[in-house]
Amino acid sequence: MGLQSTTPMLEKAKANKHGIVAFNVHSFDSIFWVLEAAAALKSPVILQTTVGTVQSLKADNLVRVVKAAAEHFNVPTGLHLDHCTDYNVIKEAIRAGYTSVMIDASMHPFDENVARTKEVIALAKTLGVNIEAELGKVGGVEDDIVVAEEDAQKAIPEECKRFVEQTGVPTLAPAIGTAHGIYKGKPEIDFERIEQIASIVDVPLVLHGGSAVPEEDVRRCVELGMAKVNVSTELKNAYSEAIRQHFEDAPESLDPRAYLQKAKEAAIEMAKSKIRMVGSENTVVPAFV
């Protein structure tokens, strides 16, 4: 099938009241692991990379590998640049073939966030590339973007409505109480705020900080209008822990095929659990599988 813009994928998910998981991938191996899980469950999926991963592996290389993997596993696949503040990196990703980009100007005042988002939309939308923007501030650490807990701010519903009207952005990530990384306690998600935003904003919403959020909370977020659910830390930790356990159990076993097989198995099981959680299993029509 190749790569697809995530705009129609997410609009369909929103209309059908299921989510699509966007998995952060940090290596070429993990691209294949996530897509193998999606293919097994007949689910669309979004692969996303941080700016750091783009700098490490290069946008052109990532696009080539994702295209090959998407064609091999034959499921609807989007490729998204996550939390980018640099217009030049966004241009690099779009030129390479990314089908979705996030311009994160949430640290700026409302009007400047609008202006920066419109600049990216002018560049990307005519090419069919999805654009994601953020309102409020999601706490935690994402690459070199650090938002302390005391500085996290929830999105204001009326501002979300004005923001979408002024920018025309096709997907919006409002801060609603989640955070990047693994939580120290149970996250305090503002479900009433999600419901308020979804009732006045007619675009798919994005849940950032989806790792380790209780399943029932994620399902409720999806029911309320969150069509894209981001997962990074849990996936990364699952396969990293499998490699660490391999060397604890067999420190002399240095064959990469042995420890990467264990990483693969852990990643696939984690990815499957998240796909089932958002309800996207068996949503790919038979012609695509």
Side-chain angles (χ1 to χ4, degrees):
M1 287 186 61
L3 288 175
Q4 297 186 3
S5 169
T6 62
T7 304
M9 291 171 63
L10 294 171
E11 288 174 345
K12 181 180 178 181
K14 179 177 182 288
N16 293 334
K17 295 190 179 301
H18 68 78
I20 296 178
V21 187
F23 293 100
N24 275 60
V25 290
H26 300 87
S27 68
F28 294 126
D29 302 84
S30 58
I31 290 168
F32 286 86
W33 300 340
V34 169
L35 284 176
E36 184 170 335
L41 296 185
K42 299 181 177 63
S43 171
V45 72
I46 297 169
L47 302 173
Q48 57 186 31
T49 63
T50 65
V51 172
T53 300
V54 171
Q55 291 170 339
S56 173
L57 300 179
K58 307 306 178 188
D60 286 339
N61 294 332
L62 285 159
V63 170
R64 280 194 286 266
V65 173
V66 172
K67 278 185 176 178
E71 290 169 2
H72 175 76
F73 289 107
N74 204 27
V75 290
T77 305
L79 179 58
H80 175 74
L81 174 66
D82 200 27
H83 279 288
C84 188
T85 62
D86 190 328
Y87 183 78
N88 289 324
V89 176
I90 288 173
K91 282 201 299 184
E92 177 190 354
I94 291 171
R95 286 172 177 166
Y98 272 64
T99 63
S100 180
V101 294
M102 179 184 184
I103 169 63
D104 186 356
S106 60
M107 68 292 297
H108 298 292
F110 181 87
D111 288 343
E112 186 170 353
N113 193 349
V114 167
R116 288 174 181 252
T117 301
K118 288 175 72 173
E119 184 181 21
V120 172
I121 287 174
L123 171 70
K125 200 169 182 181
T126 57
L127 301 174
V129 175
N130 184 71
I131 301 95
E132 180 182 320
E134 183 173 308
L135 272 183
K137 295 179 182 178
V138 177
V141 179
E142 184 74 19
D143 254 16
D144 59 350
I145 301 174
V146 181
V147 178
E149 186 176 345
E150 61 271 19
D151 294 327
Q153 299 172 1
K154 293 179 183 178
I156 299 169
E158 283 300 328
E159 282 194 351
C160 292
K161 183 175 186 293
R162 286 198 295 122
F163 187 85
V164 172
E165 289 174 348
Q166 291 182 30
T167 62
V169 71
T171 48
L172 180 68
I176 44 80
T178 54
H180 298 119
I182 298 295
Y183 299 90
K184 297 176 183 177
K186 190 177 186 295
E188 296 181 5
I189 299 174
D190 194 335
F191 296 108
E192 183 178 352
R193 189 176 298 264
I194 299 172
E195 190 169 17
Q196 290 173 347
I197 295 169
S199 70
I200 58 176
V201 172
D202 192 28
V203 299
L205 303 178
V206 181
L207 180 68
H208 280 249
S211 285
V213 175
E215 286 194 17
E216 62 272 18
D217 288 354
V218 172
R219 290 194 182 101
R220 188 173 175 192
C221 288
V222 171
E223 289 170 1
L224 291 174
M226 293 282 188
K228 177 173 178 270
V229 176
N230 289 6
V231 172
S232 175
T233 305
E234 267 189 295
L235 179 68
K236 178 173 59 178
N237 286 3
Y239 62 73
S240 297
E241 179 59 34
I243 294 172
R244 180 164 61 185
Q245 190 62 49
H246 168 87
F247 286 111
E248 286 184 4
D249 296 340
E252 302 304 317
S253 178
L254 303 180
D255 187 341
R257 291 169 295 183
Y259 58 78
L260 287 178
Q261 178 62 28
K262 294 175 181 176
K264 173 183 175 179
E265 291 168 0
I268 288 174
E269 286 310 305
M270 175 59 69
K272 284 182 176 179
S273 73
K274 297 301 180 183
I275 288 168
R276 293 188 181 104
M277 178 179 65
V278 303
S280 64
E281 184 178 7
N282 293 320
T283 60
V284 176
V285 297
F288 290 152
V289 297

